[in-house]
Amino acid sequence: MKKAILYFLGVIIILFIGTVSYFFFAGEIKNTLQFDENRFVSIQKFIKQGKVESLTQAKIQLNVIGSSYKPDSVELLRTELNEVALTNAKVCLQKKWLGSCQKYIDLIDEDFKTDQVKVVKDKLFVVVNEENITKTKNYLKERNIKKTKVYFAKIDTSYSKRKVAALEKKVIQLDNELKVEKAIALMNDKEFDDARDELAEVDEDFNPKGVEGLYEEIKLKEDLEDLLDDEGAIIVFVDHVKKDMNDPKSFEHVRTLITEKGKYLNVMMKYREVNSYGAKVLTTVEAKLNRDGSVKKIISQ
């Protein structure tokens, strides 16, 4: 009797668990179907909008939709998404919206119309690199080395190697020229150690004679520091030149180059002045000076 009762209770429990499980999983299946239906509708809306962000969301939803949910319809949606992305990529390329073009290409499945996608990719590759080359050249003209390097670095190394190599030489040339100019400015400001440090950054094969001469000039100006004004000009020599100027107040120092010759100094000074016609002109004067800065001889003016 007890065994019969226990058996009867066991059957009831099993039936109860089975019934609960059935309704639970049936509910889960129903919920899953409802979620997939909602996703399907959302995907249609996203694709219709056609924007990069919308298509990105559509692709995310396509990747999580149930594999058993309307597989043919889902595949059609996937094809439509690829088609919209390809069409928009072509439009963006035509209008030179290059960033957006690349984003649309990235949304296209690898096996979708590979020939057409390759054509768009190849055209984009050329346009992007040509644009970066143009921007590099423009910033070279402006002597903006920071932006020059930014856009040069964006050029693909496999693109038009001869053209890129020629452009690289110009970038290196400008970089070295600006370092030399900065070293000269530091020298004129009597920042001699900083000037040498800046000059040390110049490539070894860039104008070695000129760089070596500048090292010697830095040392010489450092030795003659007491003779120089804040712009690197020899004070006594400037006073001497101003005596013969039409308008001494218009004097603007540009560059003073000093070399040693025995016990004398050979000096070439460039400066701007207002001449007798009222025009501002660039003038160069060369002279032999004594060690105290006084004029021994005017060589040319």
Side-chain angles (χ1 to χ4, degrees), residues 148-295:
T148 294
K149 287 183 176 181
V150 167
Y151 285 100
F152 181 76
K154 291 182 179 181
I155 302 170
D156 195 288
T157 54
S158 65
Y159 179 75
S160 187
K161 292 184 178 180
R162 183 179 298 178
K163 185 184 291 187
V164 174
L167 194 57
E168 184 178 21
K169 288 181 180 179
K170 293 181 180 180
V171 174
I172 294 172
Q173 172 82 11
L174 176 62
D175 191 30
N176 285 309
E177 286 177 359
L178 292 175
K179 286 174 181 175
V180 169
E181 290 174 12
K182 186 175 180 181
I184 291 172
L186 288 166
M187 175 185 66
N188 290 340
D189 289 338
K190 301 181 183 180
E191 301 289 343
F192 301 112
D193 288 337
D194 290 342
R196 276 188 282 264
D197 290 342
E198 187 65 30
L199 210 52
E201 297 294 322
V202 176
D203 293 338
E204 291 182 2
D205 57 348
F206 177 79
N207 190 12
K209 289 184 178 180
V211 171
E212 185 61 31
L214 188 52
Y215 270 118
E216 293 174 1
E217 187 182 355
I218 291 171
K219 184 179 183 305
L220 184 57
K221 285 195 171 183
E222 190 172 25
D223 294 339
L224 302 172
E225 183 175 359
D226 293 339
L227 299 179
L228 307 178
D229 64 14
D230 292 338
E231 295 180 347
I234 297 174
I235 299 169
V236 177
F237 187 40
V238 170
D239 291 341
H240 178 88
V241 170
K242 283 183 176 181
K243 291 177 182 178
D244 297 325
M245 285 177 59
N246 177 64
D247 181 5
K249 292 183 180 180
S250 67
F251 177 89
E252 293 180 13
H253 178 256
V254 176
R255 174 90 162 91
T256 292
L257 178 63
I258 307 172
T259 55
E260 282 186 295
K261 192 164 186 180
K263 60 180 182 178
Y264 299 107
L265 303 174
N266 281 350
V267 177
M268 182 184 71
M269 182 173 69
K270 291 185 178 182
Y271 62 95
R272 292 187 179 88
E273 63 173 325
V274 174
N275 62 18
S276 57
Y277 298 101
K280 182 168 284 191
V281 294
L282 181 64
T283 304
T284 300
V285 57
E286 295 183 55
K288 180 182 286 187
L289 306 184
N290 296 307
R291 283 282 177 170
D292 61 359
S294 60
V295 177

Side-chain angles (χ1 to χ4, degrees), residues 52-63:
V52 170
E53 296 79 6
S54 301
L55 294 184
T56 301
Q57 285 299 319
K59 191 159 188 173
I60 292 172
Q61 295 299 323
L62 276 171
N63 290 334

Side-chain angles (χ1 to χ4, degrees), residues 72-224:
D72 292 339
S73 298
V74 170
E75 189 59 32
L76 287 174
L77 274 186
R78 193 178 297 277
T79 300
E80 186 181 354
L81 187 155
N82 285 320
E83 195 67 62
V84 171
L86 179 58
T87 300
N88 289 353
K90 291 177 180 178
V91 172
C92 289
L93 180 60
Q94 187 176 14
K95 294 184 176 181
K96 291 195 174 182
W97 298 340
L98 307 183
S100 295
C101 179
Q102 184 61 59
K103 289 178 181 178
Y104 279 118
I105 289 174
D106 292 341
L107 288 167
I108 301 171
D109 291 335
E110 292 183 1
D111 57 348
F112 180 78
K113 293 186 177 181
T114 54
D115 291 342
Q116 290 189 39
V117 173
K118 185 178 183 304
V119 170
V120 177
K121 284 183 176 180
D122 289 346
K123 288 181 178 178
L124 179 63
F125 179 77
V126 172
V127 173
V128 167
N129 282 292
E130 284 297 330
E131 183 173 90
N132 287 327
I133 285 174
T134 299
K135 287 183 177 180
T136 300
K137 288 179 177 179
N138 289 340
Y139 285 119
L140 273 171
K141 290 179 181 178
E142 295 177 11
R143 309 190 87 233
N144 186 330
I145 192 62
K146 186 175 181 180
K147 288 190 176 180
T148 294
K149 287 183 176 181
V150 167
Y151 285 100
F152 181 76
K154 291 182 179 181
I155 302 170
D156 195 288
T157 54
S158 65
Y159 179 75
S160 187
K161 292 184 178 180
R162 183 179 298 178
K163 185 184 291 187
V164 174
L167 194 57
E168 184 178 21
K169 288 181 180 179
K170 293 181 180 180
V171 174
I172 294 172
Q173 172 82 11
L174 176 62
D175 191 30
N176 285 309
E177 286 177 359
L178 292 175
K179 286 174 181 175
V180 169
E181 290 174 12
K182 186 175 180 181
I184 291 172
L186 288 166
M187 175 185 66
N188 290 340
D189 289 338
K190 301 181 183 180
E191 301 289 343
F192 301 112
D193 288 337
D194 290 342
R196 276 188 282 264
D197 290 342
E198 187 65 30
L199 210 52
E201 297 294 322
V202 176
D203 293 338
E204 291 182 2
D205 57 348
F206 177 79
N207 190 12
K209 289 184 178 180
V211 171
E212 185 61 31
L214 188 52
Y215 270 118
E216 293 174 1
E217 187 182 355
I218 291 171
K219 184 179 183 305
L220 184 57
K221 285 195 171 183
E222 190 172 25
D223 294 339
L224 302 172

